[in-house]
Amino acid sequence: MEDRIRVGVIGAGTMGAGIAQVAAQAGHPVLLFDTRPDAVAAALKGLAGTMEKLVAKGKFIRSDADALLGRIRPAATLGDLSGCGLTIEAIVEDLGIKKKLFSQLEELLAPDAILASNTSSLAITAIAAACQRPERVIGLHFFNPAPIMPLVEVVPGLLTEPELPERCGKLVRGWGKTPVVCKDTPGFIVNRVARPFYGESIRIHEEGIADMASIDHALKSVGGFRMGPFELMDLIGNDINFAVTRSVWEAFYYDPRYKPSLTQQRQVESGQLGRKTGIGYYDHTGSSAAPDPILGPGVAEAITERVLAMLINEAVDALFLQVASKSDLDLAVIKGVNYPKGLLAWADEKGADHWLRVLEGLQAEHGEDRYRPSPLLRRMARDKGKFF
Ligand code: NAI
């Protein structure tokens, strides 16, 4: 029975530990493997601590917490995973190392076992190329922290068996997750569509339109975003956020729409990475008060419109290029990055012609291809169409 298959998780770091917890919580026996000898023990110790806190908060009864922990066992060698019906790889983000692992796994596992990768930035098709049977390789991209964030991007590679996305979607839905299916393209859905939230906000700051605290304030108060872009980059870590932006830009053959910013690069070079180093765009050491936002009349609205126009254009273009269905594109940003609403539904509120005008204004002013409107946005504006 698929809902009780043995799940092997490879890589016991941040994501692997979280994914192991999610699968065990759904009742699967889980085997956890890592090449670093103490990593599995550390992950199990961390999980035990997490369950202890959840029991203390009344979110779990002790017997269920103990049963969950009892279902996760360390695997001493990769060979111990041979009885798994599904493996989820969450190791270092390196194509060569992942390919080697997948070819080893294929040798070990039964012919009908599913081999999933949690990669954020590598092509599933490229990882699957290491296998004799690439049809059983798929992307299952969880979000951090995996036990809390509901979204899972299900990514079939070019040669993945056509039924596999649906089977995996059903499986992770049973784990309480929200699956969305997307094409094997750079950044999948969220890491592609969300780029302008950071990139355009940095541009607005670079152009001297507003300071960071004001931009954050605008996007929260007018846009309804839970966190502002600079606060969020400090939480994610500027090194990680910059690396994702860079990898999406490179993977799109240097499309100017995804160009990373020098401001963020300097931030990384200076070691001011955000909360984890105490200082990022803001001071998190508590030694200085957070700056107050200073915004003239209408500036918060204008800032928000500019960022939203870029986000909407990105979502519309992903729909145009058939990266995912319109409902999955909207679900992905709500469940993966906590947006207050889906970008296509947001586009409908003012209509495509409004957003087209904003983008054309930006393109005329800046003369940059970065602001080029998606052909689908033009079509929708011309036809006065709605996405929903
Ligand atoms: P991490 O650095 O916390 O953990 C990676 C673990 O893999 C380490 O314990 C390491 O010892 C182990 N490892 C490395 N090579 C191995 C191998 N050949 N065999 C077995 N174990 C090996 O990394 P993290 O953040 O958990 O990321 C893992 C994967 O998940 C990456 O592909 C990353 O792109 C992806 N991802 C990360 C997210 C995040 O927010 N951290 C979110 C979604 C995906």
Side-chain angles (χ1 to χ4, degrees), residues 10-16 33-36 39 89-93 97-98 101 118-121 141-144:
I10 306 123
T14 312
M15 294 307 291
F33 175 76
D34 200 292
T35 41
R36 211 159 33 92
E89 165 275 311
I91 68 167
V92 60
E93 190 76 336
I97 299 176
K98 287 200 201 273
L101 173 68
N118 183 50
T119 181
S120 293
S121 64
H141 184 222
F142 290 77
F143 287 71
N144 189 16

PDB file of all heavy atoms in Angstrom, residues 10-16 33-36 39 89-93 97-98 101 118-121 141-144, ligand 1:
ATOM      1  N   ILE A  10      17.528  10.829   2.303  1.00  0.00           N
ATOM      2  CA  ILE A  10      18.981  10.893   2.216  1.00  0.00           C
ATOM      3  C   ILE A  10      19.419  12.339   2.396  1.00  0.00           C
ATOM      4  O   ILE A  10      19.001  13.212   1.636  1.00  0.00           O
ATOM      5  CB  ILE A  10      19.483  10.334   0.865  1.00  0.00           C
ATOM      6  CG1 ILE A  10      18.927   8.936   0.681  1.00  0.00           C
ATOM      7  CG2 ILE A  10      21.006  10.299   0.814  1.00  0.00           C
ATOM      8  CD1 ILE A  10      18.153   8.765  -0.550  1.00  0.00           C
ATOM      9  N   GLY A  11      20.250  12.560   3.407  1.00  0.00           N
ATOM     10  CA  GLY A  11      20.636  13.910   3.810  1.00  0.00           C
ATOM     11  C   GLY A  11      19.837  14.242   5.058  1.00  0.00           C
ATOM     12  O   GLY A  11      18.608  14.357   5.006  1.00  0.00           O
ATOM     13  N   ALA A  12      20.528  14.343   6.196  1.00  0.00           N
ATOM     14  CA  ALA A  12      19.818  14.563   7.463  1.00  0.00           C
ATOM     15  C   ALA A  12      20.017  15.990   7.961  1.00  0.00           C
ATOM     16  O   ALA A  12      20.090  16.230   9.152  1.00  0.00           O
ATOM     17  CB  ALA A  12      20.295  13.555   8.505  1.00  0.00           C
ATOM     18  N   GLY A  13      20.110  16.950   7.009  1.00  0.00           N
ATOM     19  CA  GLY A  13      20.254  18.360   7.385  1.00  0.00           C
ATOM     20  C   GLY A  13      18.889  18.982   7.643  1.00  0.00           C
ATOM     21  O   GLY A  13      17.929  18.291   8.000  1.00  0.00           O
ATOM     22  N   THR A  14      18.820  20.287   7.433  1.00  0.00           N
ATOM     23  CA  THR A  14      17.576  21.034   7.691  1.00  0.00           C
ATOM     24  C   THR A  14      16.385  20.389   7.003  1.00  0.00           C
ATOM     25  O   THR A  14      15.361  20.118   7.635  1.00  0.00           O
ATOM     26  CB  THR A  14      17.740  22.476   7.131  1.00  0.00           C
ATOM     27  OG1 THR A  14      18.983  22.985   7.568  1.00  0.00           O
ATOM     28  CG2 THR A  14      16.613  23.377   7.549  1.00  0.00           C
ATOM     29  N   MET A  15      16.495  20.172   5.705  1.00  0.00           N
ATOM     30  CA  MET A  15      15.336  19.691   4.945  1.00  0.00           C
ATOM     31  C   MET A  15      15.085  18.206   5.179  1.00  0.00           C
ATOM     32  O   MET A  15      13.936  17.787   5.365  1.00  0.00           O
ATOM     33  CB  MET A  15      15.534  19.972   3.439  1.00  0.00           C
ATOM     34  CG  MET A  15      15.559  21.433   3.094  1.00  0.00           C
ATOM     35  SD  MET A  15      14.138  22.365   3.709  1.00  0.00           S
ATOM     36  CE  MET A  15      12.805  21.726   2.712  1.00  0.00           C
ATOM     37  N   GLY A  16      16.141  17.398   5.155  1.00  0.00           N
ATOM     38  CA  GLY A  16      15.969  15.949   5.331  1.00  0.00           C
ATOM     39  C   GLY A  16      15.303  15.616   6.657  1.00  0.00           C
ATOM     40  O   GLY A  16      14.380  14.796   6.718  1.00  0.00           O
ATOM     41  N   PHE A  33      19.409   8.585   6.159  1.00  0.00           N
ATOM     42  CA  PHE A  33      20.825   8.324   5.886  1.00  0.00           C
ATOM     43  C   PHE A  33      21.584   9.616   5.622  1.00  0.00           C
ATOM     44  O   PHE A  33      21.067  10.539   4.999  1.00  0.00           O
ATOM     45  CB  PHE A  33      20.975   7.398   4.662  1.00  0.00           C
ATOM     46  CG  PHE A  33      22.405   7.189   4.256  1.00  0.00           C
ATOM     47  CD1 PHE A  33      23.238   6.348   4.991  1.00  0.00           C
ATOM     48  CD2 PHE A  33      22.948   7.873   3.160  1.00  0.00           C
ATOM     49  CE1 PHE A  33      24.585   6.182   4.641  1.00  0.00           C
ATOM     50  CE2 PHE A  33      24.286   7.706   2.802  1.00  0.00           C
ATOM     51  CZ  PHE A  33      25.094   6.851   3.556  1.00  0.00           C
ATOM     52  N   ASP A  34      22.826   9.654   6.064  1.00  0.00           N
ATOM     53  CA  ASP A  34      23.701  10.801   5.773  1.00  0.00           C
ATOM     54  C   ASP A  34      25.139  10.281   5.731  1.00  0.00           C
ATOM     55  O   ASP A  34      25.490   9.352   6.464  1.00  0.00           O
ATOM     56  CB  ASP A  34      23.572  11.870   6.876  1.00  0.00           C
ATOM     57  CG  ASP A  34      24.048  13.251   6.422  1.00  0.00           C
ATOM     58  OD1 ASP A  34      25.265  13.414   6.198  1.00  0.00           O
ATOM     59  OD2 ASP A  34      23.200  14.145   6.272  1.00  0.00           O
ATOM     60  N   THR A  35      25.962  10.882   4.880  1.00  0.00           N
ATOM     61  CA  THR A  35      27.365  10.447   4.827  1.00  0.00           C
ATOM     62  C   THR A  35      28.162  10.985   6.017  1.00  0.00           C
ATOM     63  O   THR A  35      29.219  10.451   6.348  1.00  0.00           O
ATOM     64  CB  THR A  35      28.047  10.929   3.525  1.00  0.00           C
ATOM     65  OG1 THR A  35      27.623  12.259   3.262  1.00  0.00           O
ATOM     66  CG2 THR A  35      27.712  10.045   2.344  1.00  0.00           C
ATOM     67  N   ARG A  36      27.677  12.066   6.612  1.00  0.00           N
ATOM     68  CA  ARG A  36      28.351  12.637   7.792  1.00  0.00           C
ATOM     69  C   ARG A  36      27.921  11.797   8.996  1.00  0.00           C
ATOM     70  O   ARG A  36      26.723  11.736   9.303  1.00  0.00           O
ATOM     71  CB  ARG A  36      27.913  14.094   7.960  1.00  0.00           C
ATOM     72  CG  ARG A  36      28.944  14.988   8.570  1.00  0.00           C
ATOM     73  CD  ARG A  36      28.697  16.479   8.264  1.00  0.00           C
ATOM     74  NE  ARG A  36      27.303  16.864   8.149  1.00  0.00           N
ATOM     75  CZ  ARG A  36      26.544  17.324   9.143  1.00  0.00           C
ATOM     76  NH1 ARG A  36      27.018  17.421  10.365  1.00  0.00           N
ATOM     77  NH2 ARG A  36      25.297  17.683   8.922  1.00  0.00           N
ATOM     78  N   ALA A  39      25.495  13.276  11.618  1.00  0.00           N
ATOM     79  CA  ALA A  39      24.348  14.081  11.156  1.00  0.00           C
ATOM     80  C   ALA A  39      23.005  13.441  11.510  1.00  0.00           C
ATOM     81  O   ALA A  39      22.077  14.121  11.941  1.00  0.00           O
ATOM     82  CB  ALA A  39      24.438  14.305   9.645  1.00  0.00           C
ATOM     83  N   GLU A  89      15.720  12.613  -1.735  1.00  0.00           N
ATOM     84  CA  GLU A  89      17.100  13.078  -1.557  1.00  0.00           C
ATOM     85  C   GLU A  89      17.099  14.547  -1.139  1.00  0.00           C
ATOM     86  O   GLU A  89      16.432  15.371  -1.772  1.00  0.00           O
ATOM     87  CB  GLU A  89      17.835  12.860  -2.896  1.00  0.00           C
ATOM     88  CG  GLU A  89      19.147  13.577  -3.047  1.00  0.00           C
ATOM     89  CD  GLU A  89      18.979  15.003  -3.534  1.00  0.00           C
ATOM     90  OE1 GLU A  89      18.262  15.229  -4.521  1.00  0.00           O
ATOM     91  OE2 GLU A  89      19.583  15.896  -2.906  1.00  0.00           O
ATOM     92  N   ALA A  90      17.811  14.837  -0.055  1.00  0.00           N
ATOM     93  CA  ALA A  90      17.945  16.237   0.410  1.00  0.00           C
ATOM     94  C   ALA A  90      19.396  16.464   0.817  1.00  0.00           C
ATOM     95  O   ALA A  90      19.696  16.862   1.943  1.00  0.00           O
ATOM     96  CB  ALA A  90      16.995  16.506   1.564  1.00  0.00           C
ATOM     97  N   ILE A  91      20.324  16.176  -0.113  1.00  0.00           N
ATOM     98  CA  ILE A  91      21.753  16.335   0.170  1.00  0.00           C
ATOM     99  C   ILE A  91      22.237  17.665  -0.409  1.00  0.00           C
ATOM    100  O   ILE A  91      21.431  18.468  -0.889  1.00  0.00           O
ATOM    101  CB  ILE A  91      22.595  15.144  -0.371  1.00  0.00           C
ATOM    102  CG1 ILE A  91      22.608  15.124  -1.904  1.00  0.00           C
ATOM    103  CG2 ILE A  91      22.081  13.823   0.181  1.00  0.00           C
ATOM    104  CD1 ILE A  91      23.658  14.201  -2.513  1.00  0.00           C
ATOM    105  N   VAL A  92      23.526  17.855  -0.400  1.00  0.00           N
ATOM    106  CA  VAL A  92      24.139  19.097  -0.891  1.00  0.00           C
ATOM    107  C   VAL A  92      23.692  19.387  -2.346  1.00  0.00           C
ATOM    108  O   VAL A  92      23.513  18.473  -3.139  1.00  0.00           O
ATOM    109  CB  VAL A  92      25.682  18.975  -0.757  1.00  0.00           C
ATOM    110  CG1 VAL A  92      26.221  17.815  -1.573  1.00  0.00           C
ATOM    111  CG2 VAL A  92      26.403  20.229  -1.106  1.00  0.00           C
ATOM    112  N   GLU A  93      23.516  20.700  -2.619  1.00  0.00           N
ATOM    113  CA  GLU A  93      23.012  21.126  -3.937  1.00  0.00           C
ATOM    114  C   GLU A  93      24.141  21.105  -4.973  1.00  0.00           C
ATOM    115  O   GLU A  93      24.697  22.140  -5.326  1.00  0.00           O
ATOM    116  CB  GLU A  93      22.395  22.528  -3.790  1.00  0.00           C
ATOM    117  CG  GLU A  93      21.614  23.021  -4.982  1.00  0.00           C
ATOM    118  CD  GLU A  93      20.245  22.393  -5.138  1.00  0.00           C
ATOM    119  OE1 GLU A  93      20.025  21.272  -4.640  1.00  0.00           O
ATOM    120  OE2 GLU A  93      19.385  23.006  -5.775  1.00  0.00           O
ATOM    121  N   ILE A  97      27.264  15.309  -7.477  1.00  0.00           N
ATOM    122  CA  ILE A  97      27.082  14.473  -6.281  1.00  0.00           C
ATOM    123  C   ILE A  97      25.677  13.858  -6.283  1.00  0.00           C
ATOM    124  O   ILE A  97      25.501  12.675  -5.974  1.00  0.00           O
ATOM    125  CB  ILE A  97      27.361  15.285  -4.989  1.00  0.00           C
ATOM    126  CG1 ILE A  97      28.812  15.787  -5.002  1.00  0.00           C
ATOM    127  CG2 ILE A  97      27.105  14.440  -3.745  1.00  0.00           C
ATOM    128  CD1 ILE A  97      29.194  16.684  -3.847  1.00  0.00           C
ATOM    129  N   LYS A  98      24.690  14.629  -6.692  1.00  0.00           N
ATOM    130  CA  LYS A  98      23.321  14.089  -6.731  1.00  0.00           C
ATOM    131  C   LYS A  98      23.218  12.980  -7.785  1.00  0.00           C
ATOM    132  O   LYS A  98      22.597  11.947  -7.555  1.00  0.00           O
ATOM    133  CB  LYS A  98      22.307  15.206  -7.027  1.00  0.00           C
ATOM    134  CG  LYS A  98      22.074  16.158  -5.846  1.00  0.00           C
ATOM    135  CD  LYS A  98      20.760  16.908  -5.982  1.00  0.00           C
ATOM    136  CE  LYS A  98      20.676  18.184  -5.168  1.00  0.00           C
ATOM    137  NZ  LYS A  98      20.214  18.082  -3.801  1.00  0.00           N
ATOM    138  N   LEU A 101      24.633   9.780  -6.516  1.00  0.00           N
ATOM    139  CA  LEU A 101      23.723   9.168  -5.543  1.00  0.00           C
ATOM    140  C   LEU A 101      22.552   8.476  -6.253  1.00  0.00           C
ATOM    141  O   LEU A 101      22.188   7.336  -5.928  1.00  0.00           O
ATOM    142  CB  LEU A 101      23.191  10.236  -4.573  1.00  0.00           C
ATOM    143  CG  LEU A 101      22.106   9.754  -3.616  1.00  0.00           C
ATOM    144  CD1 LEU A 101      22.672   8.762  -2.601  1.00  0.00           C
ATOM    145  CD2 LEU A 101      21.459  10.924  -2.880  1.00  0.00           C
ATOM    146  N   ASN A 118      14.722  16.747  -3.657  1.00  0.00           N
ATOM    147  CA  ASN A 118      14.200  17.985  -3.062  1.00  0.00           C
ATOM    148  C   ASN A 118      14.981  19.201  -3.567  1.00  0.00           C
ATOM    149  O   ASN A 118      14.913  20.284  -2.986  1.00  0.00           O
ATOM    150  CB  ASN A 118      14.308  17.869  -1.534  1.00  0.00           C
ATOM    151  CG  ASN A 118      13.720  19.060  -0.801  1.00  0.00           C
ATOM    152  OD1 ASN A 118      12.594  19.461  -1.069  1.00  0.00           O
ATOM    153  ND2 ASN A 118      14.478  19.639   0.116  1.00  0.00           N
ATOM    154  N   THR A 119      15.704  19.037  -4.678  1.00  0.00           N
ATOM    155  CA  THR A 119      16.524  20.155  -5.174  1.00  0.00           C
ATOM    156  C   THR A 119      15.723  21.435  -5.351  1.00  0.00           C
ATOM    157  O   THR A 119      14.570  21.394  -5.765  1.00  0.00           O
ATOM    158  CB  THR A 119      17.208  19.795  -6.512  1.00  0.00           C
ATOM    159  OG1 THR A 119      17.994  20.910  -6.928  1.00  0.00           O
ATOM    160  CG2 THR A 119      16.211  19.455  -7.616  1.00  0.00           C
ATOM    161  N   SER A 120      16.369  22.577  -5.073  1.00  0.00           N
ATOM    162  CA  SER A 120      15.714  23.878  -5.287  1.00  0.00           C
ATOM    163  C   SER A 120      16.057  24.448  -6.653  1.00  0.00           C
ATOM    164  O   SER A 120      15.285  25.221  -7.199  1.00  0.00           O
ATOM    165  CB  SER A 120      16.213  24.902  -4.265  1.00  0.00           C
ATOM    166  OG  SER A 120      15.818  24.568  -2.985  1.00  0.00           O
ATOM    167  N   SER A 121      17.243  24.112  -7.153  1.00  0.00           N
ATOM    168  CA  SER A 121      17.700  24.858  -8.319  1.00  0.00           C
ATOM    169  C   SER A 121      18.242  24.012  -9.462  1.00  0.00           C
ATOM    170  O   SER A 121      18.577  24.561 -10.504  1.00  0.00           O
ATOM    171  CB  SER A 121      18.794  25.845  -7.877  1.00  0.00           C
ATOM    172  OG  SER A 121      19.908  25.136  -7.398  1.00  0.00           O
ATOM    173  N   HIS A 141       9.639  19.150  -4.167  1.00  0.00           N
ATOM    174  CA  HIS A 141      10.324  20.304  -3.575  1.00  0.00           C
ATOM    175  C   HIS A 141       9.518  20.832  -2.393  1.00  0.00           C
ATOM    176  O   HIS A 141       8.476  21.468  -2.566  1.00  0.00           O
ATOM    177  CB  HIS A 141      10.512  21.381  -4.648  1.00  0.00           C
ATOM    178  CG  HIS A 141      11.276  22.568  -4.189  1.00  0.00           C
ATOM    179  ND1 HIS A 141      10.940  23.862  -4.500  1.00  0.00           N
ATOM    180  CD2 HIS A 141      12.394  22.662  -3.411  1.00  0.00           C
ATOM    181  CE1 HIS A 141      11.808  24.691  -3.939  1.00  0.00           C
ATOM    182  NE2 HIS A 141      12.689  23.988  -3.286  1.00  0.00           N
ATOM    183  N   PHE A 142      10.024  20.530  -1.194  1.00  0.00           N
ATOM    184  CA  PHE A 142       9.401  21.001   0.050  1.00  0.00           C
ATOM    185  C   PHE A 142       9.937  22.389   0.377  1.00  0.00           C
ATOM    186  O   PHE A 142      10.991  22.797  -0.092  1.00  0.00           O
ATOM    187  CB  PHE A 142       9.738  20.047   1.208  1.00  0.00           C
ATOM    188  CG  PHE A 142       9.077  18.700   1.103  1.00  0.00           C
ATOM    189  CD1 PHE A 142       9.554  17.731   0.226  1.00  0.00           C
ATOM    190  CD2 PHE A 142       7.978  18.383   1.890  1.00  0.00           C
ATOM    191  CE1 PHE A 142       8.951  16.484   0.135  1.00  0.00           C
ATOM    192  CE2 PHE A 142       7.357  17.144   1.807  1.00  0.00           C
ATOM    193  CZ  PHE A 142       7.850  16.189   0.929  1.00  0.00           C
ATOM    194  N   PHE A 143       9.235  23.093   1.250  1.00  0.00           N
ATOM    195  CA  PHE A 143       9.661  24.424   1.674  1.00  0.00           C
ATOM    196  C   PHE A 143      10.061  24.380   3.145  1.00  0.00           C
ATOM    197  O   PHE A 143       9.585  23.533   3.893  1.00  0.00           O
ATOM    198  CB  PHE A 143       8.541  25.452   1.381  1.00  0.00           C
ATOM    199  CG  PHE A 143       8.466  25.718  -0.101  1.00  0.00           C
ATOM    200  CD1 PHE A 143       7.984  24.749  -0.974  1.00  0.00           C
ATOM    201  CD2 PHE A 143       8.981  26.886  -0.632  1.00  0.00           C
ATOM    202  CE1 PHE A 143       7.997  24.944  -2.353  1.00  0.00           C
ATOM    203  CE2 PHE A 143       8.986  27.104  -2.007  1.00  0.00           C
ATOM    204  CZ  PHE A 143       8.492  26.125  -2.863  1.00  0.00           C
ATOM    205  N   ASN A 144      10.930  25.283   3.508  1.00  0.00           N
ATOM    206  CA  ASN A 144      11.523  25.293   4.848  1.00  0.00           C
ATOM    207  C   ASN A 144      10.712  26.173   5.806  1.00  0.00           C
ATOM    208  O   ASN A 144      10.463  27.327   5.457  1.00  0.00           O
ATOM    209  CB  ASN A 144      12.960  25.835   4.719  1.00  0.00           C
ATOM    210  CG  ASN A 144      13.750  25.704   5.988  1.00  0.00           C
ATOM    211  OD1 ASN A 144      13.386  24.971   6.901  1.00  0.00           O
ATOM    212  ND2 ASN A 144      14.847  26.445   6.061  1.00  0.00           N
TER     213      ASN A 144
HETATM  214  P1  NAI B   1      21.947  20.893   4.748  1.00  0.00           P
HETATM  215  O1  NAI B   1      23.325  21.344   4.485  1.00  0.00           O
HETATM  216  O2  NAI B   1      21.250  21.346   5.989  1.00  0.00           O
HETATM  217  O3  NAI B   1      21.916  19.274   4.762  1.00  0.00           O
HETATM  218  C1  NAI B   1      22.478  18.485   3.751  1.00  0.00           C
HETATM  219  C2  NAI B   1      22.915  17.150   4.377  1.00  0.00           C
HETATM  220  O4  NAI B   1      23.289  16.262   3.323  1.00  0.00           O
HETATM  221  C3  NAI B   1      24.141  17.275   5.305  1.00  0.00           C
HETATM  222  O5  NAI B   1      23.838  16.698   6.549  1.00  0.00           O
HETATM  223  C4  NAI B   1      25.236  16.515   4.559  1.00  0.00           C
HETATM  224  O6  NAI B   1      26.105  15.832   5.428  1.00  0.00           O
HETATM  225  C5  NAI B   1      24.435  15.527   3.742  1.00  0.00           C
HETATM  226  N1  NAI B   1      25.094  15.020   2.539  1.00  0.00           N
HETATM  227  C6  NAI B   1      25.891  15.686   1.673  1.00  0.00           C
HETATM  228  N2  NAI B   1      26.272  14.863   0.676  1.00  0.00           N
HETATM  229  C7  NAI B   1      25.704  13.661   0.916  1.00  0.00           C
HETATM  230  C8  NAI B   1      25.688  12.420   0.219  1.00  0.00           C
HETATM  231  N3  NAI B   1      26.375  12.260  -0.912  1.00  0.00           N
HETATM  232  N4  NAI B   1      24.967  11.400   0.752  1.00  0.00           N
HETATM  233  C9  NAI B   1      24.279  11.560   1.899  1.00  0.00           C
HETATM  234  N5  NAI B   1      24.259  12.711   2.602  1.00  0.00           N
HETATM  235  C10 NAI B   1      24.954  13.748   2.114  1.00  0.00           C
HETATM  236  O7  NAI B   1      21.098  21.261   3.438  1.00  0.00           O
HETATM  237  P2  NAI B   1      19.537  21.582   3.301  1.00  0.00           P
HETATM  238  O8  NAI B   1      19.313  23.033   3.505  1.00  0.00           O
HETATM  239  O9  NAI B   1      18.757  20.594   4.095  1.00  0.00           O
HETATM  240  O10 NAI B   1      19.317  21.313   1.731  1.00  0.00           O
HETATM  241  C11 NAI B   1      19.278  20.024   1.198  1.00  0.00           C
HETATM  242  C12 NAI B   1      18.639  20.063  -0.174  1.00  0.00           C
HETATM  243  O11 NAI B   1      17.318  20.617  -0.079  1.00  0.00           O
HETATM  244  C13 NAI B   1      19.381  20.893  -1.219  1.00  0.00           C
HETATM  245  O12 NAI B   1      19.215  20.268  -2.467  1.00  0.00           O
HETATM  246  C14 NAI B   1      18.623  22.215  -1.181  1.00  0.00           C
HETATM  247  O13 NAI B   1      18.717  22.923  -2.412  1.00  0.00           O
HETATM  248  C15 NAI B   1      17.208  21.730  -0.951  1.00  0.00           C
HETATM  249  N6  NAI B   1      16.289  22.698  -0.330  1.00  0.00           N
HETATM  250  C16 NAI B   1      16.700  23.502   0.702  1.00  0.00           C
HETATM  251  C17 NAI B   1      15.795  24.390   1.282  1.00  0.00           C
HETATM  252  C18 NAI B   1      16.211  25.257   2.437  1.00  0.00           C
HETATM  253  O14 NAI B   1      15.511  26.246   2.704  1.00  0.00           O
HETATM  254  N7  NAI B   1      17.285  24.942   3.154  1.00  0.00           N
HETATM  255  C19 NAI B   1      14.407  24.493   0.819  1.00  0.00           C
HETATM  256  C20 NAI B   1      14.047  23.534  -0.204  1.00  0.00           C
HETATM  257  C21 NAI B   1      14.983  22.718  -0.770  1.00  0.00           C
END
